[in-house]
Coordinates of all heavy atoms in Angstrom, one line a residue:
M26 N 8.4 15.9 -0.6 CA 7.6 14.6 -0.9 C 8.3 13.8 -2.0 O 8.6 14.3 -3.0 CB 6.2 15.0 -1.4 CG 5.3 13.8 -1.7 SD 4.2 13.5 -0.4 CE 3.0 14.8 -0.6
N27 N 8.6 12.6 -1.6 CA 9.3 11.7 -2.6 C 8.3 10.6 -3.0 O 7.8 9.9 -2.2 CB 10.5 11.1 -1.8 CG 11.1 10.0 -2.6 OD1 11.3 10.1 -3.8 ND2 11.5 8.9 -1.9
T28 N 8.0 10.6 -4.3 CA 7.1 9.5 -4.8 C 7.9 8.5 -5.5 O 8.8 8.8 -6.3 CB 6.0 10.2 -5.7 OG1 5.3 11.1 -5.0 CG2 5.0 9.1 -6.3
Y29 N 7.6 7.2 -5.2 CA 8.4 6.1 -5.8 C 7.5 4.9 -6.0 O 6.4 4.8 -5.5 CB 9.5 5.8 -4.8 CG 9.1 5.2 -3.5 CD1 9.1 3.8 -3.3 CD2 8.6 6.0 -2.4 CE1 8.7 3.2 -2.1 CE2 8.2 5.5 -1.2 CZ 8.3 4.1 -1.0 OH 7.9 3.5 0.1
S30 N 7.9 4.1 -6.9 CA 7.1 2.9 -7.2 C 8.0 1.6 -6.8 O 9.2 1.7 -7.0 CB 6.8 2.8 -8.7 OG 5.8 3.7 -9.0
V31 N 7.3 0.6 -6.4 CA 8.0 -0.7 -6.1 C 7.1 -1.8 -6.7 O 5.9 -1.7 -6.7 CB 8.2 -1.0 -4.6 CG1 9.1 0.0 -3.9 CG2 6.9 -1.0 -3.9
T32 N 7.8 -2.8 -7.2 CA 7.1 -4.0 -7.6 C 7.5 -5.1 -6.8 O 8.7 -5.5 -6.7 CB 7.4 -4.3 -9.1 OG1 6.9 -3.2 -9.9 CG2 6.6 -5.5 -9.6
L33 N 6.6 -5.7 -6.0 CA 6.9 -6.9 -5.2 C 6.5 -8.1 -6.0 O 5.5 -8.1 -6.7 CB 6.0 -6.8 -3.9 CG 6.0 -5.5 -3.1 CD1 5.1 -5.6 -1.9 CD2 7.5 -5.1 -2.7
S34 N 7.4 -9.1 -6.0 CA 7.0 -10.2 -6.9 C 6.8 -11.5 -6.0 O 7.2 -11.5 -4.9 CB 8.1 -10.5 -7.9 OG 9.4 -10.4 -7.3
G35 N 6.1 -12.4 -6.7 CA 5.7 -13.6 -6.0 C 4.3 -13.5 -5.6 O 3.4 -13.1 -6.3
S36 N 4.0 -14.0 -4.4 CA 2.6 -14.0 -3.9 C 2.5 -13.5 -2.5 O 3.5 -13.3 -1.8 CB 2.1 -15.5 -4.0 OG 3.1 -16.3 -3.4
P37 N 1.3 -13.2 -2.0 CA 1.1 -12.8 -0.7 C 1.6 -13.8 0.3 O 1.7 -15.0 -0.1 CB -0.4 -12.6 -0.6 CG -0.9 -12.6 -2.0 CD 0.0 -13.4 -2.7
P38 N 1.9 -13.4 1.5 CA 1.7 -12.1 2.1 C 2.8 -11.2 1.6 O 4.0 -11.6 1.5 CB 1.9 -12.3 3.6 CG 2.7 -13.5 3.7 CD 2.3 -14.4 2.6
W39 N 2.4 -9.9 1.4 CA 3.4 -8.9 0.9 C 4.1 -8.3 2.1 O 5.1 -7.6 1.9 CB 2.7 -7.8 0.1 CG 1.9 -8.4 -1.0 CD1 0.5 -8.4 -1.1 CD2 2.3 -9.0 -2.2 NE1 0.1 -9.0 -2.3 CE2 1.2 -9.4 -3.0 CE3 3.6 -9.3 -2.7 CZ2 1.3 -10.1 -4.2 CZ3 3.7 -10.0 -4.0 CH2 2.6 -10.3 -4.7
G40 N 3.5 -8.5 3.3 CA 4.2 -8.1 4.5 C 4.0 -6.6 4.9 O 4.9 -6.0 5.5
F41 N 2.8 -6.1 4.7 CA 2.4 -4.8 5.3 C 1.0 -4.8 5.6 O 0.2 -5.6 5.1 CB 2.8 -3.7 4.3 CG 2.0 -3.7 3.0 CD1 0.9 -2.8 2.9 CD2 2.3 -4.5 2.0 CE1 0.2 -2.8 1.7 CE2 1.6 -4.5 0.8 CZ 0.5 -3.7 0.6
R42 N 0.6 -3.8 6.4 CA -0.8 -3.5 6.7 C -1.1 -2.1 6.4 O -0.2 -1.2 6.4 CB -1.0 -3.6 8.2 CG -1.3 -5.1 8.7 CD -1.9 -5.1 10.1 NE -1.5 -6.2 10.8 CZ -1.5 -6.4 12.1 NH1 -1.9 -5.3 12.9 NH2 -1.1 -7.5 12.7
L43 N -2.3 -1.9 6.0 CA -2.8 -0.5 5.6 C -3.6 0.1 6.7 O -4.3 -0.6 7.5 CB -3.7 -0.6 4.4 CG -3.0 -0.9 3.1 CD1 -4.1 -1.1 2.0 CD2 -2.0 0.1 2.7
Q44 N -3.6 1.4 6.8 CA -4.7 2.1 7.6 C -5.2 3.2 6.8 O -4.6 3.7 5.8 CB -4.1 2.6 8.9 CG -3.1 3.7 8.8 CD -2.7 4.3 10.1 OE1 -2.9 3.6 11.2 NE2 -2.1 5.4 10.1
G45 N -6.4 3.7 7.1 CA -7.0 4.8 6.5 C -7.8 4.4 5.3 O -8.2 3.3 5.1
G46 N -8.1 5.4 4.4 CA -8.9 5.2 3.2 C -10.0 6.3 3.3 O -10.3 6.9 4.3
K47 N -10.7 6.4 2.1 CA -11.7 7.4 2.0 C -12.8 7.4 3.0 O -13.2 8.4 3.6 CB -12.3 7.3 0.6 CG -13.2 8.4 0.1 CD -13.8 8.0 -1.2 CE -15.1 8.8 -1.6 NZ -14.8 10.2 -2.0
D48 N -13.2 6.1 3.4 CA -14.2 6.0 4.4 C -13.8 6.4 5.8 O -14.7 6.5 6.7 CB -14.8 4.5 4.3 CG -13.8 3.4 4.4 OD1 -12.6 3.7 3.9 OD2 -14.1 2.4 4.9
F49 N -12.5 6.5 6.0 CA -12.0 6.9 7.3 C -11.6 8.4 7.3 O -11.1 8.9 8.3 CB -10.8 6.1 7.7 CG -11.2 4.7 8.1 CD1 -11.0 3.6 7.2 CD2 -11.6 4.4 9.4 CE1 -11.4 2.3 7.5 CE2 -11.9 3.1 9.8 CZ -11.8 2.1 8.8
N50 N -11.8 9.0 6.1 CA -11.3 10.4 5.9 C -9.8 10.6 6.3 O -9.4 11.5 6.9 CB -12.1 11.4 6.7 CG -13.5 11.6 6.2 OD1 -13.6 11.7 4.9 ND2 -14.5 11.6 7.0
M51 N -9.1 9.5 6.0 CA -7.7 9.5 6.3 C -6.9 9.0 5.0 O -7.5 8.1 4.3 CB -7.4 8.5 7.4 CG -8.0 8.8 8.7 SD -6.7 9.6 9.8 CE -5.7 8.2 10.1
P52 N -5.8 9.5 4.8 CA -5.0 8.9 3.6 C -4.7 7.5 3.9 O -4.6 7.0 5.0 CB -3.8 9.8 3.6 CG -3.7 10.5 4.9 CD -5.0 10.5 5.5
L53 N -4.6 6.7 2.8 CA -4.3 5.3 2.9 C -2.8 5.2 3.1 O -2.0 5.7 2.2 CB -4.7 4.7 1.5 CG -4.9 3.3 1.4 CD1 -6.0 2.8 2.3 CD2 -5.4 3.0 -0.1
T54 N -2.4 4.7 4.2 CA -1.0 4.7 4.5 C -0.6 3.3 5.0 O -1.4 2.5 5.4 CB -0.5 5.7 5.6 OG1 -1.3 5.5 6.8 CG2 -0.8 7.1 5.1
V55 N 0.7 3.0 5.0 CA 1.3 1.8 5.5 C 1.4 1.9 7.0 O 2.0 2.8 7.5 CB 2.7 1.5 4.9 CG1 3.3 0.3 5.5 CG2 2.5 1.4 3.3
S56 N 0.7 1.0 7.7 CA 0.7 1.1 9.2 C 1.7 0.2 9.9 O 2.1 0.4 11.0 CB -0.7 0.9 9.7 OG -1.1 -0.4 9.4
R57 N 2.1 -0.9 9.2 CA 2.9 -1.9 9.8 C 3.6 -2.7 8.7 O 3.1 -3.0 7.7 CB 2.0 -2.8 10.6 CG 2.8 -3.7 11.6 CD 1.8 -4.4 12.5 NE 2.5 -5.1 13.5 CZ 3.1 -6.3 13.4 NH1 3.0 -6.9 12.2 NH2 3.7 -6.9 14.4
L58 N 4.9 -3.0 9.0 CA 5.6 -3.9 8.1 C 6.1 -5.1 8.9 O 6.4 -5.1 10.0 CB 6.9 -3.2 7.7 CG 6.8 -2.0 6.8 CD1 8.1 -1.2 6.7 CD2 6.3 -2.4 5.4
T59 N 6.0 -6.3 8.2 CA 6.6 -7.5 8.7 C 8.1 -7.4 8.6 O 8.6 -7.3 7.4 CB 6.0 -8.7 8.0 OG1 4.6 -8.7 8.0 CG2 6.5 -10.0 8.6
P60 N 8.8 -7.6 9.7 CA 10.3 -7.5 9.5 C 10.8 -8.6 8.5 O 10.4 -9.7 8.6 CB 10.8 -7.8 11.0 CG 9.7 -7.4 11.9 CD 8.4 -7.7 11.1
G61 N 11.6 -8.1 7.6 CA 12.1 -9.0 6.6 C 11.2 -9.4 5.5 O 11.5 -10.2 4.6
G62 N 9.9 -8.9 5.6 CA 9.0 -9.3 4.5 C 9.2 -8.6 3.2 O 10.2 -7.8 3.1
K63 N 8.4 -8.9 2.2 CA 8.7 -8.3 0.9 C 8.6 -6.8 0.9 O 9.4 -6.2 0.2 CB 7.6 -8.9 -0.1 CG 7.9 -10.3 -0.4 CD 6.9 -11.0 -1.3 CE 7.4 -12.4 -1.5 NZ 6.3 -13.3 -1.9
A64 N 7.6 -6.2 1.6 CA 7.5 -4.8 1.6 C 8.7 -4.1 2.3 O 9.2 -3.1 1.8 CB 6.2 -4.4 2.2
A65 N 9.1 -4.7 3.4 CA 10.3 -4.2 4.1 C 11.5 -4.3 3.2 O 12.3 -3.4 3.2 CB 10.4 -4.9 5.4
Q66 N 11.7 -5.4 2.6 CA 12.9 -5.6 1.7 C 12.9 -4.6 0.6 O 14.0 -4.2 0.1 CB 12.9 -7.0 1.1 CG 13.3 -8.1 2.1 CD 13.3 -9.4 1.5 OE1 13.7 -9.6 0.3 NE2 12.9 -10.4 2.3
A67 N 11.7 -4.2 0.1 CA 11.6 -3.2 -1.0 C 11.8 -1.8 -0.4 O 11.6 -0.8 -1.2 CB 10.3 -3.3 -1.7
A68 N 12.0 -1.6 0.9 CA 12.3 -0.3 1.5 C 11.0 0.6 1.6 O 11.1 1.8 1.7 CB 13.4 0.5 0.8
I69 N 9.9 -0.1 1.6 CA 8.6 0.6 1.9 C 8.7 1.0 3.4 O 9.3 0.2 4.2 CB 7.4 -0.2 1.6 CG1 7.2 -0.4 0.1 CG2 6.1 0.3 2.3 CD1 6.1 -1.4 -0.3
D70 N 8.3 2.2 3.8 CA 8.3 2.6 5.2 C 7.0 2.7 5.8 O 6.0 3.1 5.1 CB 9.0 4.0 5.2 CG 10.4 4.0 5.8 OD1 10.6 3.1 6.7 OD2 11.2 4.8 5.4
V71 N 6.9 2.5 7.1 CA 5.6 2.8 7.8 C 5.4 4.3 7.7 O 6.3 5.1 7.8 CB 5.8 2.4 9.3 CG1 4.7 3.0 10.1 CG2 5.8 0.9 9.5
G72 N 4.1 4.6 7.4 CA 3.7 6.0 7.2 C 3.6 6.5 5.8 O 3.0 7.5 5.4
D73 N 4.3 5.7 4.9 CA 4.2 6.0 3.5 C 2.8 6.0 3.0 O 2.0 5.1 3.4 CB 5.1 5.1 2.6 CG 6.6 5.4 2.8 OD1 6.9 6.3 3.6 OD2 7.4 4.7 2.2
W74 N 2.5 6.9 2.1 CA 1.1 7.1 1.6 C 1.0 6.3 0.3 O 1.8 6.4 -0.6 CB 0.9 8.6 1.4 CG -0.3 9.1 0.7 CD1 -1.5 8.6 0.8 CD2 -0.3 10.1 -0.3 NE1 -2.4 9.3 0.0 CE2 -1.6 10.2 -0.7 CE3 0.7 10.9 -0.8 CZ2 -2.0 11.2 -1.6 CZ3 0.3 11.9 -1.8 CH2 -1.1 12.0 -2.2
V75 N -0.1 5.5 0.2 CA -0.3 4.7 -1.0 C -1.1 5.5 -2.0 O -2.3 5.8 -1.8 CB -1.1 3.4 -0.7 CG1 -1.3 2.5 -1.9 CG2 -0.4 2.6 0.4
V76 N -0.4 5.9 -3.1 CA -1.0 6.7 -4.2 C -1.7 5.9 -5.2 O -2.7 6.3 -5.8 CB 0.2 7.6 -4.8 CG1 -0.4 8.5 -5.9 CG2 0.9 8.4 -3.8
A77 N -1.1 4.8 -5.6 CA -1.7 3.9 -6.6 C -1.4 2.5 -6.4 O -0.3 2.1 -5.8 CB -1.2 4.3 -8.0
I78 N -2.3 1.6 -6.8 CA -2.1 0.2 -6.6 C -2.2 -0.4 -8.1 O -3.3 -0.2 -8.7 CB -3.2 -0.4 -5.8 CG1 -3.2 0.2 -4.3 CG2 -3.1 -2.0 -5.7 CD1 -4.4 -0.1 -3.5
G79 N -1.1 -0.8 -8.6 CA -1.1 -1.2 -10.0 C -1.4 0.1 -10.8 O -0.8 1.2 -10.5
D80 N -2.3 0.1 -11.8 CA -2.6 1.2 -12.6 C -3.8 2.1 -11.9 O -4.2 3.1 -12.5 CB -3.1 0.8 -14.0 CG -2.0 0.2 -14.8 OD1 -0.8 0.6 -14.5 OD2 -2.2 -0.6 -15.7
A81 N -4.3 1.6 -10.8 CA -5.5 2.3 -10.2 C -5.0 3.3 -9.2 O -4.3 3.0 -8.3 CB -6.4 1.3 -9.6
N82 N -5.6 4.5 -9.4 CA -5.3 5.6 -8.4 C -6.0 5.2 -7.1 O -7.2 4.8 -7.1 CB -6.0 6.9 -9.0 CG -5.7 8.1 -8.1 OD1 -5.5 8.0 -6.9 ND2 -5.5 9.2 -8.8
A83 N -5.3 5.3 -6.0 CA -5.8 4.8 -4.7 C -6.3 5.9 -3.8 O -6.8 5.7 -2.7 CB -4.7 4.0 -4.0
E84 N -6.2 7.2 -4.3 CA -6.5 8.3 -3.5 C -7.9 8.4 -3.0 O -8.2 8.9 -2.0 CB -6.1 9.6 -4.1 CG -4.6 9.8 -4.2 CD -4.1 10.8 -5.2 OE1 -4.1 10.5 -6.5 OE2 -3.8 11.9 -4.9
E85 N -8.8 7.8 -3.8 CA -10.3 7.9 -3.5 C -10.8 6.5 -3.1 O -12.0 6.3 -3.0 CB -11.1 8.4 -4.7 CG -10.7 9.8 -5.1 CD -11.1 10.9 -4.1 OE1 -12.2 10.7 -3.4 OE2 -10.3 11.8 -3.9
M86 N -9.9 5.6 -2.8 CA -10.4 4.2 -2.5 C -10.7 4.1 -1.0 O -10.1 4.7 -0.2 CB -9.3 3.2 -2.7 CG -9.1 2.9 -4.2 SD -7.9 1.5 -4.3 CE -7.6 1.6 -6.1
T87 N -11.8 3.3 -0.7 CA -12.0 3.0 0.7 C -11.0 2.0 1.1 O -10.3 1.4 0.3 CB -13.4 2.4 0.9 OG1 -13.5 1.2 0.2 CG2 -14.5 3.3 0.3
H88 N -11.0 1.8 2.4 CA -10.0 0.8 3.0 C -10.2 -0.6 2.3 O -9.2 -1.2 1.9 CB -10.2 0.7 4.5 CG -9.2 0.0 5.2 ND1 -8.0 0.6 5.6 CD2 -9.0 -1.3 5.5 CE1 -7.2 -0.4 6.2 NE2 -7.8 -1.5 6.1
V89 N -11.4 -1.0 2.2 CA -11.7 -2.4 1.7 C -11.4 -2.4 0.2 O -10.9 -3.5 -0.3 CB -13.1 -2.8 2.1 CG1 -13.6 -4.0 1.3 CG2 -13.2 -3.1 3.5
E90 N -11.7 -1.4 -0.5 CA -11.4 -1.3 -2.0 C -9.9 -1.5 -2.2 O -9.5 -2.2 -3.1 CB -11.9 0.0 -2.6 CG -13.4 0.0 -2.9 CD -13.9 1.4 -3.3 OE1 -13.1 2.4 -3.1 OE2 -15.0 1.5 -3.7
A91 N -9.1 -0.8 -1.4 CA -7.7 -1.0 -1.5 C -7.2 -2.4 -1.2 O -6.4 -3.0 -1.9 CB -7.0 0.1 -0.6
Q92 N -7.8 -2.9 -0.1 CA -7.4 -4.3 0.3 C -7.7 -5.3 -0.8 O -7.0 -6.1 -1.2 CB -8.1 -4.7 1.5 CG -7.5 -4.2 2.8 CD -8.2 -4.8 4.0 OE1 -9.4 -5.1 4.0 NE2 -7.4 -4.9 5.1
N93 N -8.9 -5.1 -1.4 CA -9.4 -6.0 -2.5 C -8.5 -5.9 -3.7 O -8.1 -6.9 -4.3 CB -10.8 -5.7 -2.9 CG -11.8 -6.2 -1.8 OD1 -11.4 -7.0 -0.9 ND2 -13.0 -5.8 -1.8
K94 N -8.1 -4.6 -4.0 CA -7.2 -4.4 -5.2 C -5.9 -5.1 -5.0 O -5.3 -5.7 -5.9 CB -7.1 -2.9 -5.3 CG -6.6 -2.5 -6.7 CD -7.7 -2.4 -7.7 CE -7.1 -2.4 -9.1 NZ -8.1 -2.8 -10.1
I95 N -5.4 -5.0 -3.7 CA -4.1 -5.7 -3.4 C -4.3 -7.2 -3.5 O -3.4 -7.9 -4.0 CB -3.6 -5.2 -2.0 CG1 -3.2 -3.8 -2.2 CG2 -2.5 -6.1 -1.5 CD1 -3.0 -3.0 -0.9
R96 N -5.4 -7.7 -3.0 CA -5.7 -9.1 -3.0 C -5.8 -9.7 -4.4 O -5.6 -10.9 -4.7 CB -6.9 -9.5 -2.2 CG -6.6 -9.2 -0.7 CD -7.5 -10.0 0.2 NE -7.1 -9.8 1.6 CZ -7.8 -9.0 2.5 NH1 -9.0 -8.5 2.2 NH2 -7.4 -8.9 3.7
E97 N -6.3 -8.8 -5.4 CA -6.4 -9.3 -6.8 C -5.1 -9.5 -7.4 O -5.0 -10.2 -8.5 CB -7.1 -8.2 -7.6 CG -8.6 -8.1 -7.4 CD -9.2 -6.8 -8.1 OE1 -8.5 -6.2 -8.9 OE2 -10.3 -6.4 -7.7
A98 N -4.1 -8.9 -6.9 CA -2.8 -9.0 -7.6 C -2.2 -10.4 -7.4 O -2.3 -11.0 -6.3 CB -1.8 -8.0 -6.9
S99 N -1.8 -11.0 -8.5 CA -1.1 -12.3 -8.4 C 0.1 -12.3 -9.3 O 0.1 -11.7 -10.4 CB -2.1 -13.4 -8.7 OG -2.3 -13.4 -10.0
G100 N 1.2 -12.8 -8.8 CA 2.4 -12.8 -9.5 C 3.3 -11.6 -9.2 O 4.5 -11.8 -8.9
S101 N 2.7 -10.4 -9.1 CA 3.4 -9.3 -8.7 C 2.4 -8.2 -8.2 O 1.3 -8.2 -8.6 CB 4.3 -8.7 -9.8 OG 3.6 -8.1 -10.8
L102 N 2.9 -7.3 -7.4 CA 2.1 -6.2 -6.9 C 3.0 -4.9 -7.1 O 4.0 -4.8 -6.5 CB 1.8 -6.4 -5.4 CG 1.1 -5.2 -4.7 CD1 -0.3 -5.0 -5.3 CD2 1.0 -5.4 -3.2
T103 N 2.4 -4.0 -7.9 CA 3.1 -2.7 -8.0 C 2.4 -1.6 -7.3 O 1.2 -1.5 -7.4 CB 3.2 -2.3 -9.5 OG1 4.0 -3.3 -10.2 CG2 4.0 -1.0 -9.7
L104 N 3.1 -0.9 -6.4 CA 2.6 0.1 -5.6 C 3.3 1.4 -5.9 O 4.5 1.4 -6.1 CB 2.7 -0.2 -4.1 CG 2.0 -1.4 -3.6 CD1 2.5 -1.6 -2.1 CD2 0.5 -1.2 -3.6
T105 N 2.6 2.5 -5.9 CA 3.2 3.8 -6.0 C 2.9 4.5 -4.6 O 1.8 4.5 -4.2 CB 2.6 4.7 -7.1 OG1 2.7 3.9 -8.3 CG2 3.3 6.0 -7.3
L106 N 4.0 4.9 -4.0 CA 3.9 5.5 -2.7 C 4.6 6.9 -2.6 O 5.4 7.2 -3.4 CB 4.6 4.6 -1.7 CG 4.0 3.2 -1.6 CD1 5.1 2.2 -2.1 CD2 3.5 2.8 -0.3
S107 N 4.1 7.6 -1.6 CA 4.8 8.9 -1.4 C 5.3 8.9 0.1 O 4.6 8.4 1.0 CB 3.9 10.1 -1.5 OG 3.7 10.4 -2.9
S108 N 6.5 9.4 0.2 CA 7.1 9.5 1.5 C 7.5 10.9 1.8 O 7.8 11.7 0.9 CB 8.4 8.7 1.4 OG 9.3 9.0 2.5
L109 N 7.4 11.3 3.1 CA 7.7 12.7 3.5 C 9.2 12.8 3.7 O 9.7 13.9 3.8 CB 7.0 13.1 4.8 CG 5.5 13.2 4.6 CD1 4.8 13.5 5.9 CD2 5.1 14.3 3.6
K110 N 9.9 11.7 3.7 CA 11.4 11.7 4.0 C 12.1 12.1 2.7 O 11.7 11.7 1.6 CB 11.9 10.4 4.5 CG 11.4 10.2 5.9 CD 11.9 8.8 6.4 CE 11.0 8.3 7.5 NZ 11.2 6.9 7.7
Ligands
LIG19 N1 -1.6 -7.8 4.8 C1 -1.6 -8.1 3.4 C2 -0.2 -8.7 3.0 O1 0.7 -8.5 3.7 C3 -1.8 -6.8 2.6 C4 -3.1 -6.1 2.9 C5 -3.1 -4.7 2.6 C6 -4.2 -6.8 2.1 O2 -0.2 -9.3 2.0

């Protein structure tokens, strides 16, 4: 398991979609990347698990809580992710 952090700068769209969350009993993971988008440029991978959004632990967040936390970010978005690769 490789855990890494990325800071995307600027403004949305950040170029990824999420799936899962506490309310789905599924880990919050990246389900899709926009080719050439900010997340893809930062080497985020589909399937990576979102551990934290900014300073907030994301492991117990519902899907909508995570989306809202991401939407609150302005200027930059820091994510901590874990990859199985
Ligand atoms: N689809 C949004 C974006 O690319 C992120 C989502 C998780 C709120 O900015």
Side-chain angles (χ1 to χ4, degrees):
M26 179 101 75
N27 171 40
T28 299
Y29 65 100
S30 287
V31 293
T32 298
L33 309 180
S34 47
S36 49
W39 305 111
F41 65 100
R42 277 195 212 160
L43 288 177
Q44 70 176 14
K47 188 183 162 80
D48 49 331
F49 289 96
N50 289 314
M51 294 260 292
L53 202 57
T54 58
V55 175
S56 60
R57 194 171 186 281
L58 291 168
T59 304
K63 287 177 181 158
Q66 283 179 39
I69 291 175
D70 250 327
V71 167
D73 288 359
W74 169 44
V75 181
V76 179
I78 301 167
D80 291 334
N82 187 327
E84 289 162 280
E85 297 293 323
M86 286 185 189
T87 65
H88 190 90
V89 167
E90 282 170 346
Q92 280 187 328
N93 287 342
K94 198 80 197 162
I95 289 165
R96 291 199 175 110
E97 280 169 20
S99 70
S101 71
L102 173 67
T103 299
L104 297 172
T105 305
L106 301 116
S107 283
S108 163
L109 292 175
K110 288 179 202 160

